[in-house]
Amino acid sequence: MIKDLAAREDGSVSVSGWVEKVRDQRYVQFVVLRDETGAVQLVNGGVLREADPENPRSDILLERTTTISELSHGSFVTVSGELQHNERVKLGGVEIQIEQLEVVSRALPDTPIAKDSGSEHRLDWRFLDLRRPEQNLVFRVQTTFLNALRQVWVERDFIEVQTPKLMASASESRAELFEVDYFDGQAYLAQSPQFFKQMAQAAGFGGIFEVGPAFRADPSFTSRHATEFTSIDSELSWIDSHVDVMELHEELIVAGLTAVKEKHGEAIQKLFGVEVNVPSRPFPRIPLAEAKEIVKAEGYEVPRADADMDPEGERRIAAHVQQKYGSDFVFLTDYDASIRPFYHMRHDDDAQLTRSYDLIYNGTEISTGAQREHRIDVLEAQAREKGMDPKELNFYLDFFRYGMPPHGGFGMGLNRVLMLMLGQSSIRETTFLFRGPNRLTP
Ligand code: AMO
């Protein structure tokens, strides 16, 4: 790998990679070669532009010179030569004197995207866009983040599940639901693993987690919505309230960010110009109604008093929390029952408020969590209150009819977390292959 070259001693080496740049000078040729780990400068000192009968290596040198001068950007080549350390070489302090260069796969001469191409055009050519070191880093960070979360779950003895993405009913609301033909009938793409992670509680699994796709037929073109995204879900039994869920959530976030900072902090700073901050626990917790009062006192009124925070409200409360507590994270808690799903448990002393929360990171919602209602009679009543027909939900309600422990959990959008962690302007940059209302390819 190219990143290992600097640590090697001078001598014969062989490397492969994509041609990033060619400088074809009269007496010397330079090629910058990149693989997924870094870049290195190759040098052809034996440039020969026309046959030289006096030189016994004339044919070889002439062919090599021609090959290099015709190299197109993005071609994949294998090179062998002499590695030399040279402090004056800015790129890693080493260069390779080319002895042999083989073009393994030639790229068409005009690369369809450039550094400054617009987002949609880059998405059309995502495989080329992903060759950029920044993009490569996004998915290395994702791997490290998820791995750290997984370690926490495994240490806590949680079970990993894979829930079905084809369902017979909606899993969140009837809005934003993709319907697909299913033999002679209809199926729906899962909007979240909500019902099944609760089923795992009825099954006696206790702590569980899933990292998998979620689908939302959301027609919006915002920077934080996709029609398919990766949802990080966890659920656990025997909780006293949503506070237990928040504590698990904090532990996971701190573990994920600690691992990312340790492994990629420097690269993130260099390529994205942002610092990864590991938050201290507990994260600030503010009831939603109080958060609305705070932003109102600071001059911003959330458009609808009976609704969720709007994006501007989220930004403002995050700025307030940042200033007051120095935290990138804030839990907004105790959402009004009218804006929460029927399965959220309500407070004993105030049936209008749910035992739920949203987690805001750098000014944007990344997650929703709650204690769930496990008492079947209350759950049925709450479903009816929301205009739902309990008969349609029977398969779900059955989970509660044979002994269901108190439980709760959360769902968190992976692509949003990465966008906010890396200071990106859209989840298009932090999704391997983005899906939106007008994008089903590549
Ligand atoms: P909710 O609908 O709030 O909750 O979704 C949880 C998190 O998923 C992410 N998310 C999205 N990301 C990209 N594009 C979208 N269209 C999109 N929709 C949602 C967000 C959001 O905070 N079942 C509950 C969770 C739970 O209570 O366990 C749920 O799905 O980051």
Side-chain angles (χ1 to χ4, degrees):
M1 295 269 98
I2 288 177
K3 79 167 172 17
D4 302 324
L5 291 173
R8 289 186 56 168
E9 286 181 8
D10 287 0
S12 299
V13 288
S14 160
V15 286
S16 301
W18 289 272
V19 173
E20 185 164 280
K21 215 187 282 170
V22 179
R23 262 192 300 140
D24 194 0
Q25 297 175 353
R26 182 80 194 97
Y27 299 109
V28 64
Q29 294 173 313
F30 296 97
V31 178
V32 174
L33 195 68
R34 180 175 290 283
D35 71 6
E36 64 272 31
T37 67
V40 66
Q41 172 164 286
L42 315 175
V43 187
N44 179 21
V47 168
L48 200 63
R49 303 282 171 181
E50 50 194 53
D52 175 3
E54 308 278 288
N55 188 334
R57 297 183 68 222
S58 173
D59 286 357
I60 295 172
L61 296 180
L62 189 57
E63 192 192 328
R64 196 164 76 194
T65 303
T66 314
T67 305
I68 293 174
S69 61
E70 288 172 355
L71 273 182
S72 50
H73 175 265
S75 290
F76 190 85
V77 301
T78 291
V79 181
S80 51
E82 283 292 303
L83 178 75
Q84 291 172 351
H85 281 75
N86 178 350
E87 278 173 11
R88 280 175 296 142
V89 179
K90 280 194 204 130
L91 208 55
V94 291
E95 58 188 10
I96 297 170
Q97 295 288 340
I98 304 171
E99 264 155 26
Q100 240 180 9
L101 184 144
E102 186 199 342
V103 180
V104 179
S105 170
R106 195 176 295 281
L108 290 173
D110 296 315
T111 311
I113 57 168
K115 252 190 182 151
D116 54 356
S117 297
S119 158
E120 287 302 316
H121 187 58
R122 285 192 292 109
L123 291 189
D124 286 342
W125 294 95
R126 187 62 169 155
F127 68 97
L128 294 176
D129 191 36
L130 287 171
R131 284 186 193 170
R132 288 189 295 131
E134 295 88 323
Q135 283 296 328
N136 195 279
L137 181 59
V138 169
F139 296 96
R140 285 180 191 281
V141 168
Q142 175 176 298
T143 306
T144 302
F145 183 74
L146 287 178
N147 190 42
L149 266 55
R150 199 172 283 279
Q151 277 179 22
V152 172
W153 282 314
V154 170
E155 269 163 30
R156 278 182 165 236
D157 226 9
F158 277 37
I159 297 176
E160 178 164 12
V161 293
Q162 282 80 34
T163 62
K165 304 306 159 198
L166 282 169
M167 294 181 62
S169 68
S171 39
E172 288 300 325
S173 70
R174 291 209 64 87
E176 304 180 356
L177 192 56
F178 279 119
E179 199 175 303
V180 291
D181 289 342
Y182 197 69
F183 303 104
D184 291 336
Q186 243 80 53
Y188 305 98
L189 297 184
Q191 297 160 302
S192 117
Q194 185 61 40
F195 293 167
F196 304 122
K197 53 185 190 164
Q198 290 189 257
M199 190 197 87
Q201 307 312 302
F205 274 34
I208 57 135
F209 66 98
E210 175 172 12
V211 178
F215 303 89
R216 306 276 169 109
D218 185 333
S220 58
F221 287 88
T222 75
S223 59
R224 56 176 170 168
H225 287 98
T227 48
E228 176 176 352
F229 63 95
T230 301
S231 185
I232 301 174
D233 279 88
S234 199
E235 198 79 14
L236 73 169
S237 279
W238 311 118
I239 60 169
D240 291 326
S241 76
H242 56 306
V243 174
D244 294 335
V245 183
M246 293 198 280
E247 282 170 1
L248 166 69
H249 209 151
E250 286 171 344
E251 185 181 345
L252 290 163
I253 295 277
V254 168
L257 288 179
T258 303
V260 167
K261 190 179 179 72
E262 259 171 43
K263 189 157 182 189
H264 309 288
E266 239 172 75
I268 292 172
Q269 176 71 55
K270 197 164 135 208
L271 294 184
F272 296 120
V274 295
E275 182 91 29
V276 177
N277 297 319
V278 178
S280 39
R281 294 157 64 187
F283 304 168
R285 296 161 189 192
I286 308 178
L288 178 68
E290 197 180 312
K292 285 182 178 172
E293 286 304 317
I294 292 171
V295 298
K296 192 173 169 188
E298 292 181 0
Y300 181 73
E301 194 145 359
V302 176
R304 281 184 48 203
D306 59 344
D308 198 353
M309 272 286 190
D310 66 335
E312 180 57 23
E314 286 175 358
R315 268 191 292 278
R316 295 212 176 212
I317 193 65
H320 169 88
V321 166
Q322 182 59 259
Q323 204 191 14
K324 193 158 174 196
Y325 307 103
S327 175
D328 296 342
F329 289 85
V330 54
F331 284 119
L332 300 183
T333 64
D334 307 290
Y335 278 66
D336 202 275
S338 62
I339 50 172
R340 287 311 221 199
F342 75 97
Y343 55 80
H344 280 199
M345 185 179 268
R346 301 181 186 178
H347 281 282
D348 292 339
D349 56 357
D350 187 347
Q352 252 331 96
L353 292 184
T354 55
R355 295 181 170 204
S356 74
Y357 68 88
D358 269 10
L359 180 57
I360 312 287
Y361 178 25
N362 286 338
T364 296
E365 177 209 316
I366 54 167
S367 183
T368 295
Q371 176 166 11
R372 324 298 186 187
E373 181 50 70
H374 62 273
R375 296 161 295 185
I376 180 69
D377 46 333
V378 183
L379 188 61
E380 270 181 326
Q382 288 183 183
R384 259 191 233 101
E385 189 190 304
K386 294 265 177 198
M388 300 169 88
D389 179 359
K391 267 193 237 100
E392 263 186 38
L393 288 170
N394 229 354
F395 82 98
Y396 170 72
L397 295 173
D398 272 347
F399 306 158
F400 299 81
R401 292 186 172 122
Y402 300 90
M404 174 65 108
H407 64 281
F410 68 83
M412 176 162 74
L414 172 63
N415 316 97
R416 278 198 200 172
V417 174
L418 289 168
M419 166 179 88
L420 296 156
M421 187 195 305
L422 303 176
Q424 296 299 286
S425 57
S426 166
I427 59 169
R428 289 159 184 74
E429 305 293 336
T430 53
T431 305
F432 185 61
L433 284 170
F434 175 76
R435 288 289 178 262
N438 64 353
R439 181 164 294 281
L440 278 171
T441 58

